[in-house]
């Protein structure tokens, strides 16, 4: 079955009575729906309007126990389903109840093997108060929830200008993309752009947890772009909400994604509303070549904390060649369980991210326009940028968000976009466990497991490897040469031939005079 090139709009479902609950019926609307065992292609359709606000709406503001819903495209077909090149825009649901499924959704699939590509979902509004955290949440741009058969693909979609406007103080969970999938399938979430999701409404105390991309399915998530914390007008969101740029909740790999969390200043209150560019609540995670930036700002000291990344556990974790930045007031770079880390402390404690780094300022990332309105937001980077040539080759990822072949540019640029930019000389990140403060070794101890990372990489060829400088406390604060014939600093090169972490064995025979004695301080 093919459903193609239809325009559906200017429809108001205007009930005046409470839904007939005994028959599980509500004043709902679905623009295009499929069901049954067959295959389906849904392509080139417009559900709603490109220009008219609330073109399709369920206008009855009831709060019945059976959720009233508005959905643009919904497939429950158990076959192979392709949903491509559609636009779902300007849908509203006035339902104000708490029932699960009382929602506004752009595209939703619950069965079959689904390929959801090249769609635009925008300007969806929900007044629902359900606290559901699944594909039945009050507001979802795209929900792929089929978990029983076939590969699931969500790619090259644009989701933006979603607004949840609850009338009560329930915790609402809007999603840009909600993704679940069979654990044994080959699943892909790629080249999607999610931005400008907000929670407003008449209740200033409404709580919210906003998620750009929810990764609840095993698979690969690559070249996605997420911007949260700024609404569709370009205004900073200052209410106390929790933001997840990308959330991992199943075994998965995340490559070349760009995430920006902004907004504020946030006025802290009695409740804890942390924000995360990347959040992992599951083991079996690979995280490489991502730009993870949290620039959300507090107005004053308080419980709100804004992280570049959160890891529930290091079990099964492979994380490296990422940029982590938490640059606003209240920012904390990395959190693992209940412990906060700077990058060097995280490298030492976890053994991860030996080649990852944290810029000293947001400008070193070089986003073109991270805080623009829905029409102008742009998470491409520009020269100079720390993203340039700072990653590792991932052979399975051959293109970038824009469809450009990475091999024809700089193959290992970080984030969703590849290019030929100038690089930023960000300071290297170095972490290690300090030597004991006293020792009886008069020849020279070994400083082991020294993690060194830099935007331009770290040389590992003998003769160019990192050096450790040392001297007596009384020696001259200068470098002349690396022999015992001169006063001042001496150095040793990292042993071996591999990369970070490095080991350095100090050679006290290089010190001025060729030896040391007891009671001498070494710097």
């Amino acid at each position: 079955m093919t459903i193609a090139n239809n325009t559906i709009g200017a429809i108001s479902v205007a009930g005046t009575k409470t839904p007939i609950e005994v028959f599980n019926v509500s004043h709902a609307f679905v623009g295009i729906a499929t069901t049954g065992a067959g295959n389906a292609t849904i392509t080139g359709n417009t559900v709603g309007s490109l220009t008219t606000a609330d073109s399709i709406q369920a206008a009855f503001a009831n709060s019945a126990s059976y959720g009233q819903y508005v959905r643009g495209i919904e497939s429950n077909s158990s076959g192979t389903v392709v949903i491509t090149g559609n636009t779902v825009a300007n849908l509203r649901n006035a339902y104000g109840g708490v029932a699960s499924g009382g929602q506004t959704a752009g595209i939703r699939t619950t069965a079959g093997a689904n390929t959801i590509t090249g769609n635009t979902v925008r300007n969806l509004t929900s007044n629902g108060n359900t606290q559901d955290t699944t594909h039945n949440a009050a507001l979802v741009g795209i929900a792929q929830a089929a978990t029983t058969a076939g590969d699931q693909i969500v790619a090259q979609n644009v989701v933006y200008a979603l607004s949840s406007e609850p009338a009560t103080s329930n915790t609402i969970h809007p999603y840009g993309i909600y993704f679940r999938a069979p654990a044994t399938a080959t699943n892909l979430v790629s080249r999607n752009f999610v931005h400008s999701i907000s929670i407003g409404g008449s209740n200033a105390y409404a709580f919210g947890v906003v998620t750009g991309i929810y990764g609840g399915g095993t698979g690969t998530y690559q070249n996605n772009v997420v911007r949260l914390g700024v609404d569709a007008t370009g205004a900073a969101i200052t209410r106390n909400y929790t933001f997840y740029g990308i959330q991992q909740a199943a075994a998965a790999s995340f490559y070349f994604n760009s995430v920006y969390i902004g907004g504020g200043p946030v006025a802290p209150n009695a409740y804890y509303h942390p924000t995360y560019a990347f959040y992992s609540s599951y083991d079996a995670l690979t995280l490489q070549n991502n730009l993870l930036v949290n620039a959300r700002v507090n107005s004053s000291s308080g419980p709100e904390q804004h992280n570049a990344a959160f890891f529930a556990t290091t079990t099964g974790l492979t994380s490296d060649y990422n940029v982590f930045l938490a640059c606003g007031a209240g920012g904390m770079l990395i959190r693992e369980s209940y412990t906060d880390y700077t990058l060097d402390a995280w490298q030492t404690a976890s053994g991860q991210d030996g080649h990852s780094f944290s810029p000293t300022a947001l400008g070193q990332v070089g986003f073109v326009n991270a805080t623009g309105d829905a029409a102008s937001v742009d998470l491409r980077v520009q020269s100079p940028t720390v993203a340039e040539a700072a990653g590792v080759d991932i052979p399975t990822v051959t293109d970038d968000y824009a469809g450009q072949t990475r091999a024809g540019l700089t193959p290992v640029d970080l984030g969703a976009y590849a290019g030929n930019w100038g690089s930023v000389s960000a300071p290297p990140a170095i972490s290690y466990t300090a030597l004991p403060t006293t020792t009886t070794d008069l020849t020279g101890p070994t400083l082991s497991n020294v993690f060194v990372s830099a935007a331009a990489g770290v040389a590992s060829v003998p003769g160019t490897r990192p050096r450790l400088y040392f001297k007596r406390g009384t020696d001259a604060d200068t470098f002349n040469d690396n022999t015992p014939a001169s006063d001042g600093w001496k150095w040793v090169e990292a042993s071996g031939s591999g990369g970070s972490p490095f080991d350095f064995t100090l050679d006290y025979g290089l010190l001025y005079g060729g030896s040391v004695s007891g009671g001498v301080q070494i710097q």
Side-chain angles (χ1 to χ4, degrees):
M1 174 177 61
T2 299
I3 303 173
N5 303 321
N6 300 285
T7 299
I8 303 166
I11 298 173
S12 179
V13 181
T16 58
K17 296 183 178 181
T18 300
I20 308 170
E21 297 184 4
V22 68
F23 295 111
N24 200 17
V25 174
S26 64
H27 303 293
F29 177 88
V30 180
I32 296 173
T34 68
T35 189
N39 301 329
T41 297
I42 303 171
T43 182
N45 302 283
T46 298
V47 181
S49 172
L50 301 180
T51 57
T52 303
D54 304 336
S55 173
I56 295 175
Q57 59 179 310
F60 184 35
N62 71 88
S63 57
S65 59
Y66 292 104
Q68 170 178 292
Y69 54 84
V70 174
R71 297 168 184 157
I73 297 172
E74 181 169 24
S75 174
N76 299 310
S77 297
S78 59
T80 298
V81 178
V82 176
I83 302 174
T84 184
N86 303 281
T87 297
V88 179
N90 286 299
L91 275 57
R92 172 182 287 273
N93 185 2
Y95 174 75
V98 299
S100 176
Q103 71 172 181
T104 307
I107 297 173
R108 172 182 151 120
T109 55
T110 58
N114 298 282
T115 297
I116 305 171
T117 61
N119 303 284
T120 298
V121 177
R122 63 176 177 85
N123 298 99
L124 308 185
T125 305
S126 169
N127 296 126
N129 288 286
T130 177
Q131 298 185 67
D132 198 303
T133 61
T134 72
H135 61 291
N136 293 315
L139 181 62
V140 185
I142 295 174
Q144 196 313 106
T147 60
T148 56
D151 299 343
Q152 309 295 334
I153 299 172
V154 177
Q156 300 180 56
N157 303 286
V158 180
V159 178
Y160 67 96
L162 310 187
S163 179
S164 178
E165 300 178 0
T168 73
S169 58
N170 278 353
T171 301
I172 311 303
H173 295 265
Y175 294 96
I177 294 176
Y178 179 95
F179 184 81
R180 294 184 64 203
T184 57
T186 301
N187 306 305
L188 179 65
V189 179
S190 175
R191 297 173 60 189
N192 300 287
F193 189 8
V194 177
H195 63 91
S196 310
I197 303 175
S198 62
I199 302 177
S202 59
N203 190 336
Y205 300 99
F207 305 121
V209 179
V210 180
T211 304
I213 296 177
Y214 176 81
T218 297
T220 300
Y221 300 73
Q222 65 191 44
N223 290 327
N224 297 291
V225 181
V226 178
R227 193 283 301 270
L228 298 177
V230 181
D231 69 18
T233 69
I237 296 173
T238 60
R239 286 187 180 181
N240 298 74
Y241 302 134
T242 294
F243 290 97
Y244 298 104
I246 296 178
Q247 182 179 6
Q248 179 231 6
S253 299
F254 294 81
Y255 303 124
F256 295 105
N257 299 288
S258 295
V259 181
Y260 175 88
I261 308 295
V266 179
N269 60 23
Y271 300 95
Y272 182 49
H273 302 281
T275 64
Y276 312 91
F278 182 86
Y279 185 95
S280 169
S281 59
Y282 199 86
D283 56 12
L285 163 66
T286 298
L287 183 71
Q288 292 180 316
N289 293 358
N290 301 281
L291 288 177
L292 303 174
V293 176
N294 194 330
R296 196 158 172 80
V297 178
N298 287 341
S299 62
S300 60
S301 61
E304 270 62 20
Q305 183 170 291
H306 310 300
N307 299 94
F310 173 92
F311 302 97
T313 178
T314 57
T315 301
L317 173 64
T318 299
S319 182
D320 206 356
Y321 296 95
N322 302 294
V323 161
F324 301 108
L325 179 61
C327 56
M332 176 53 67
L333 198 69
I334 295 172
R335 186 174 178 88
E336 190 252 323
S337 188
Y338 295 101
T339 304
D340 296 321
Y341 294 98
T342 60
L343 181 58
D344 56 353
W346 165 249
Q347 290 169 326
T348 299
S350 68
Q352 301 290 330
D353 287 295
H355 300 91
S356 297
F357 53 96
S358 181
T360 57
L362 179 59
Q364 292 181 336
V365 179
F367 289 133
V368 171
N369 188 8
T371 59
D373 62 17
S376 63
V377 58
D378 190 345
L379 262 61
R380 290 177 297 172
V381 296
Q382 53 193 335
S383 294
T385 173
V386 294
E388 173 64 19
V392 64
D393 184 42
I394 308 295
T396 57
V397 184
T398 59
D399 59 1
D400 72 349
Y401 171 82
Q404 301 177 106
T405 301
R406 286 185 176 269
L409 298 164
T410 309
V412 292
D413 290 333
L414 300 186
Y417 294 95
N420 291 316
W421 303 294
S423 62
V424 171
S425 297
I430 303 173
S431 64
Y432 57 91
T433 300
L435 292 170
T437 56
T438 61
T439 179
T440 59
D441 186 350
L442 299 180
T443 60
T446 297
L447 182 62
S448 300
N449 291 320
V450 179
F451 290 88
V452 183
S453 62
V458 179
S460 60
V461 176
T464 65
R465 294 166 64 74
R467 296 175 177 180
L468 175 63
Y469 285 78
F470 59 99
K471 71 179 185 70
R472 295 183 189 88
T474 57
D475 289 344
D477 186 16
T478 187
F479 177 77
N480 293 305
D481 59 41
N482 205 40
T483 73
S486 64
D487 197 1
W489 291 95
K490 309 301 173 184
W491 57 266
V492 292
E493 184 176 283
S495 59
S497 58
S500 183
F502 300 97
D503 296 335
F504 299 87
T505 300
L506 277 68
D507 181 0
Y508 291 162
L510 295 173
L511 293 171
Y512 187 35
S515 64
V516 297
S517 58
V520 171
Q521 181 191 58
I522 303 296
Q523 297 177 335

